[in-house]
């Protein structure tokens, strides 16, 4: 016995009898269940669903990637208008058949007249595409029901049909023979009348047999076909009426309801998953926060015990390791501020989750949480997010920048990051071990750190010229922003007296950590504060009157500004006077002082290159940088944001936050507008760098900034490694430490903006 042929399923490729495969796509039963035919959410065409989450067809998925989310079509209202206001189906139909007409079913103007050929398929009606599909579905269902009805009655009537057909055949033959004999002698009219009479008598004979049970009465083939034909005719007539319209509308609504239910289920499942994930993240955050508190308390306890043990043994303990985050600010004030302000507490917790500890720099900046948030966001983007430079190169450039000012705190911080990544560790032996491409940055690094006004387009051209070690403009802008960021950050570290960071793994701070034969503790152990910690804070006998005098000067300047505004010539003269006076500030104390070499000097070339005054006596000085010719808001911001995406927005937010930050108080006075004082601090730094604002009266600087404050500003900005505790204590004795930290924030941002302005101007000149 021959076996029947097997055919492969087009989806799973398994073989089945031909009858078990679906018509059209030739799918087996399992594949039909697993991959049902559904309607696309957008174009409403049917497609084979690959997965339960796939609700759009492949063509619409490709269009979404290319053109985005579609809009409703202005004709058919189907959400499939990827280009313009019309879907592709309506666009093509309009080109082929002309403008749309009103659909006879949905009454929308979205039906295209396809002439007789198109109307023949829908019984001559003018229907739109969606109504045509619904109409054909109704006809198909009717045909299937009729086919099932006829097949169910065929088997039960076979026996009776044979018997009845034989009897009819015998009677038909008898009538046919008799009529055939008479046909030769009758006229056509008589023959037709005789046929009618015989047909009538035969019909009477069919009705006269004795009655049978109702279940045994079965129609003949001719009767059944006639009834089916009448049934189809009645359906066609009913479709012409309003009942068919309602049936099609109900079918469409049912389909929409089912699709909306599926969408709701998917959305509910997505929301539940996100809620579950959010709950897990909150629980994890609380767990990390509690662990951080326990760890910090244990570290503090172990630290104190280690100090006591070392003192009992007679070991000389370096004082900076035991004075909290800052050598200038009492530890109690920093801790108290972080505990009182919940925003500061949250930001410190986030900083801890990123690095596993909260460094001293972050704790001191936590006195101003609003600025700290902006600072951490920009620094995280600069060092860790996507950008032109590799991650390990960013940290090495940060080391190069911090080393120009001998800032071992920042150098050691990024040396640890370098070891954490475990890449190119030989570079940490010194700058000569770094690749030539990074060493080429040394020239622009030293000029930016000490004399940024000397940068020209030739420096930019030397770095970006075609060659083996060349830089792209995007990479160079990224590197310049990192250099300026850490030059200014070194000023804040020294100006705030940030203490070296104790290794979290060794609370006593003395045990060396060797990795690849290189000790990281020697970078942190070399600190500038040891030589000045023994000095006591000066006590100003007339500090209260000094504060009152400053308040009176601010009030008087505000009144004079409202009454009479100085001319441009007079303001230019005051700027030149202030620029020359800045030569004398602090110059006598720092002229011949030579800083001792340290462990971070291995990352420095040409260590003798340092700060020189912008306006020197008897020399050809560079021209003044006029802010209206090239400013951050109008020129620098757009250039840096174009070459290094989004960093301009973050830097601009950081600059504005530092300049606009105010708590409307000064020392013990409240409801005080400090705008004038903040601008004087910011513009004085730019004045020392040769940057002038035409709309600012530099006579206010001498009125608001006393000499001791000017000495501190110039030291922190130009010679940050020479900052001492005595300088920090010598000005504004009645002010809070948080207000002095705010001064350092202004100096830091003013210096960074000045360095960026000179460099970006040189890049602009190179590009033009």
């Amino acid at each position: 016995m021959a076996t029947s042929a097997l055919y492969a399923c087009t989806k799973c490729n398994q073989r089945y009898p031909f009858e078990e495969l679906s018509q059209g796509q030739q799918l087996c039963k399992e594949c039909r269940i697993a991959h049902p035919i559904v309607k696309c959410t957008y174009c409403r065409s049917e497609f084979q669903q690959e997965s339960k989450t796939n609700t759009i067809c492949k063509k619409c998925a490709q269009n979404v990637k290319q053109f985005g989310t579609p809009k409703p079509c202005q004709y058919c209202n189907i959400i499939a208008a990827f280009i313009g206001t019309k879907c592709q189906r309506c666009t093509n139909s309009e080109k082929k058949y002309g403008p749309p007409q009103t659909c006879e079913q949905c009454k929308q103007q979205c039906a295209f007249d396809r002439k007789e050929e198109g109307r023949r398929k829908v019984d001559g009606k003018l229907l739109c595409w969606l109504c045509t599909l619904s109409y054909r579905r109704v006809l198909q269902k009717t045909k299937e029901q009729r086919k099932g009805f006829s097949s169910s009655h065929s088997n039960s009537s076979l026996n009776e049909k044979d018997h009845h057909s034989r009897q009819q055949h015998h009677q038909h033959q008898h009538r046919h023979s008799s009529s055939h004999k008479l046909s030769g002698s009758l006229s056509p009219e008589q023959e037709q009348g005789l046929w009618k009479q015989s047909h009538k008598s035969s019909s009477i004979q069919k009705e006269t047999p004795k009655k049978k049970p109702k279940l045994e009465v079965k129609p003949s083939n001719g009767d059944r076909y006639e009834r089916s034909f009448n049934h189809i005719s009645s359906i066609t007539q009913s479709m012409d009426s309003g009942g068919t319209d309602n049936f099609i509308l109900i079918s469409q609504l049912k389909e929409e309801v089912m699709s909306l239910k599926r969408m709701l289920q998917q959305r509910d499942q997505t929301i539940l998953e996100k809620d579950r994930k959010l709950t897990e993240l909150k629980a994890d955050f609380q767990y990390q926060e509690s662990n951080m508190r326990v760890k910090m308390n244990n570290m503090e306890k172990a630290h104190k015990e280690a100090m006591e043990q070392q003192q009992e043994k007679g070991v000389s303990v370096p004082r900076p390791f035991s004075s909290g985050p800052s050598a200038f600010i009492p530890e109690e004030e920093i801790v108290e501020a972080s505990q009182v302000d919940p925003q500061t507490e949250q930001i410190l917790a986030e900083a801890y989750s990123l690095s596993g500890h909260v460094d001293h720099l972050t704790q001191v900046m936590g006195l101003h949480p609003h600025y700290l948030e902006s600072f951490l966001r920009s620094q995280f983007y600069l060092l860790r997010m996507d950008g032109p430079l590799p991650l390990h190169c960013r940290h090495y450039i940060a080391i190069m920048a911090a080393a120009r000012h001998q800032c071992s705190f920042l150098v050691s911080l990024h040396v640890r990051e370098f070891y954490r990544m475990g890449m190119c560790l030989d570079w940490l032996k010194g700058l000569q071990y770094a690749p030539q491409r990074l060493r080429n940055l040394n020239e622009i690094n030293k000029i930016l750190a000490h004399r940024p006004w000397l940068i020209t387009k030739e420096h930019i051209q030397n770095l970006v010229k075609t060659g083996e070690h060349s830089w792209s403009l995007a990479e160079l802008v990224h590197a310049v922003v990192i250099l300026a960021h850490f030059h200014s950050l070194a000023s804040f570290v020294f100006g705030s007296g940030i203490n070296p960071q104790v290794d979290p793994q060794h609370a006593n701070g003395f045990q060396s950590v060797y990795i690849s034969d290189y000790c990281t503790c020697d970078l942190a152990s070399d600190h500038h504060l040891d030589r000045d910690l023994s000095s006591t804070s000066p006590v100003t006998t007339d500090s209260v009157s000094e504060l009152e005098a400053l308040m009176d000067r601010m009030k008087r300047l505000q009144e004079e500004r409202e009454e009479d505004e100085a001319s441009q010539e007079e303001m230019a003269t005051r700027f030149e006077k202030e620029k020359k006076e800045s030569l004398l500030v602090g110059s006598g104390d720092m002229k011949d002082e030579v800083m001792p070499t340290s462990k971070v000097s291995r990352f420095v070339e040409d260590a003798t290159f340092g700060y020189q005054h912008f306006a020197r006596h008897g020399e050809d000085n560079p021209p003044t940088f006029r802010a209206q010719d090239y400013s951050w808001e109008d020129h620098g911001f757009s250039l840096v944001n174009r070459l290094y995406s989004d960093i301009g927005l973050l830097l601009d937010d950081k600059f504005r936050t530092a300049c606009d930050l105010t708590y409307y108080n000064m020392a013990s006075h409240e409801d005080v507008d400090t705008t004038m004082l903040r601008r004087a601090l910011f513009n004085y730094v730019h004045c020392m760098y040769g940057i002038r604002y035409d709309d600012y009266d530099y006579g206010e600087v001498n009125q608001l900034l006393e000499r001791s404050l000017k000495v501190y500003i110039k030291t922190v900005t130009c010679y940050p490694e020479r900052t001492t505790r005595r300088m920090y204590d010598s000005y504004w004795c009645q002010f809070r430490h948080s207000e002095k930290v705010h001064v350092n924030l202004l100096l830091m941002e003013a210096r960074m903006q000045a360095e960026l302005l000179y460099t970006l101007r040189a890049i602009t000149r190179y590009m033009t």
Side-chain angles (χ1 to χ4, degrees), residues 664-708:
Y664 298 101
N665 54 42
M666 282 179 56
S668 57
H669 294 268
E670 296 182 354
D671 297 328
V672 180
D673 185 5
T674 59
T675 304
M676 183 183 298
L677 186 59
R678 284 182 274 122
R679 189 175 184 188
L681 291 167
F682 194 89
N683 288 355
Y684 182 63
V685 175
H686 280 197
C687 177
M688 290 189 297
Y689 280 88
I691 300 175
R692 179 198 165 200
Y693 294 89
D694 289 348
D695 60 344
Y696 182 71
D697 184 4
Y698 287 87
E700 296 181 1
V701 173
N702 277 331
Q703 296 286 334
L704 298 176
L705 307 183
E706 58 188 14
R707 178 173 175 79
S708 60

Side-chain angles (χ1 to χ4, degrees), residues 45-190:
S45 60
E46 295 181 345
F47 71 100
Q48 195 87 31
Q49 191 177 30
E50 299 293 336
S51 63
K52 293 184 179 180
T53 58
N54 184 18
T55 60
I56 60 176
C57 62
K58 294 182 179 179
K59 187 175 181 181
C60 288
Q62 184 178 0
N63 289 335
V64 168
K65 290 182 181 179
Q66 186 175 0
F67 304 107
T69 306
K71 299 178 181 178
C73 175
Q74 69 176 15
Y75 290 157
C76 62
N77 285 331
I78 297 176
I79 307 175
F82 291 95
I83 304 175
T85 59
K86 294 178 285 188
C87 65
Q88 194 63 34
R89 188 182 295 110
C90 290
T91 302
N92 296 337
S93 299
E94 187 177 16
K95 291 180 180 178
K96 189 174 181 180
Y97 303 110
Q101 301 180 17
T102 303
C103 174
E104 296 180 7
Q105 179 62 39
C106 61
K107 308 304 179 185
Q108 295 186 20
Q109 194 169 358
C110 55
F112 295 91
D113 191 0
R114 305 173 189 269
K115 308 304 179 183
E116 295 181 359
E117 181 181 355
R119 291 196 181 191
R120 190 182 303 118
K121 299 178 181 179
V122 288
D123 295 335
K125 292 179 177 291
L126 180 60
L127 302 178
C128 64
W129 182 73
L130 283 179
C131 294
T132 301
L133 293 182
S134 300
Y135 194 89
R136 289 178 180 176
R137 264 196 305 272
V138 172
L139 289 180
Q140 183 66 24
K141 289 181 180 179
T142 304
K143 290 180 181 179
E144 291 177 357
Q145 291 175 0
R146 185 194 66 204
K147 186 176 179 181
F149 178 80
S150 61
S151 61
S152 63
H153 289 75
S154 60
N155 294 329
S156 61
S157 61
L158 280 177
N159 296 329
E160 183 181 355
K161 190 184 301 181
D162 292 340
H163 176 73
H164 192 62
S165 61
R166 284 196 298 269
Q167 185 177 0
Q168 283 184 347
H169 179 68
H170 177 71
Q171 293 176 356
H172 179 69
Q173 282 184 346
H174 178 72
R175 286 195 306 268
H176 181 69
S177 60
S178 60
S179 62
H180 183 67
K181 291 176 182 179
L182 293 173
S183 62
S185 60
L186 294 176
S187 63
E189 292 78 4
Q190 293 174 341

Side-chain angles (χ1 to χ4, degrees), residues 512-732:
S512 300
V513 181
Y514 287 92
I515 305 176
S516 302
D517 298 329
Y518 182 76
C519 178
T520 60
C521 70
D522 57 355
L523 297 177
S525 62
D526 175 33
H527 202 266
H528 65 290
L529 296 173
D530 296 340
R531 58 192 173 96
D532 196 59
L533 284 174
S534 59
S535 63
T536 57
S537 303
V539 179
T540 305
T541 56
D542 201 19
S543 58
V544 178
S545 60
E546 179 187 10
L547 174 62
E548 297 298 333
L550 177 60
M551 295 283 295
D552 292 339
R553 289 196 298 271
M554 290 176 59
K555 185 177 181 180
R556 186 174 66 253
L557 286 173
Q558 184 65 33
E559 294 173 353
E560 292 176 359
R561 181 188 294 180
E562 295 175 356
E563 292 176 359
D564 186 20
E565 186 175 352
S567 62
Q568 289 293 328
E569 294 78 9
E570 186 176 357
M571 287 195 290
T573 303
R574 292 175 182 177
F575 171 78
E576 295 297 331
K577 179 181 178 182
E578 188 62 39
K579 184 172 65 174
K580 292 178 181 178
E581 287 182 357
S582 66
L583 288 170
L584 307 175
V585 174
S587 59
D589 301 332
M590 305 174 185
K591 185 175 181 180
D592 300 325
E593 184 177 356
V594 178
M595 295 299 296
T597 59
S598 65
K599 299 294 183 181
V600 301
S601 299
R602 67 187 74 179
F603 303 108
V604 178
E605 290 182 359
D606 194 5
T608 58
F609 187 90
Y611 173 79
Q612 288 185 357
H613 298 289
F614 177 81
R616 307 184 68 185
H617 294 295
E619 296 186 10
D620 293 333
N621 298 316
T624 299
F625 188 113
R626 300 184 66 189
Q628 72 268 20
D629 295 335
Y630 197 94
S631 65
W632 166 257
E633 292 81 4
D634 298 332
H635 306 87
F637 169 79
S638 58
L639 177 62
V640 73
N641 216 43
R642 176 157 55 94
L643 294 176
Y644 182 17
S645 177
D646 293 337
I647 191 62
L649 297 171
L650 295 171
L651 292 177
D652 187 67
D653 178 68
K654 190 160 66 80
F655 292 151
R656 292 179 183 275
T657 302
C659 293
D660 297 340
L661 185 65
T662 181
Y663 303 98
Y664 298 101
N665 54 42
M666 282 179 56
S668 57
H669 294 268
E670 296 182 354
D671 297 328
V672 180
D673 185 5
T674 59
T675 304
M676 183 183 298
L677 186 59
R678 284 182 274 122
R679 189 175 184 188
L681 291 167
F682 194 89
N683 288 355
Y684 182 63
V685 175
H686 280 197
C687 177
M688 290 189 297
Y689 280 88
I691 300 175
R692 179 198 165 200
Y693 294 89
D694 289 348
D695 60 344
Y696 182 71
D697 184 4
Y698 287 87
E700 296 181 1
V701 173
N702 277 331
Q703 296 286 334
L704 298 176
L705 307 183
E706 58 188 14
R707 178 173 175 79
S708 60
L709 178 55
K710 286 185 176 181
V711 171
Y712 177 79
I713 293 173
K714 186 169 185 178
T715 306
V716 170
T717 306
C718 306
Y719 318 92
E721 62 274 9
R722 300 177 182 178
T723 307
T724 63
R725 173 73 174 270
R726 186 180 295 107
M727 294 179 183
Y728 178 85
D729 292 334
S730 63
Y731 79 96
W732 288 3

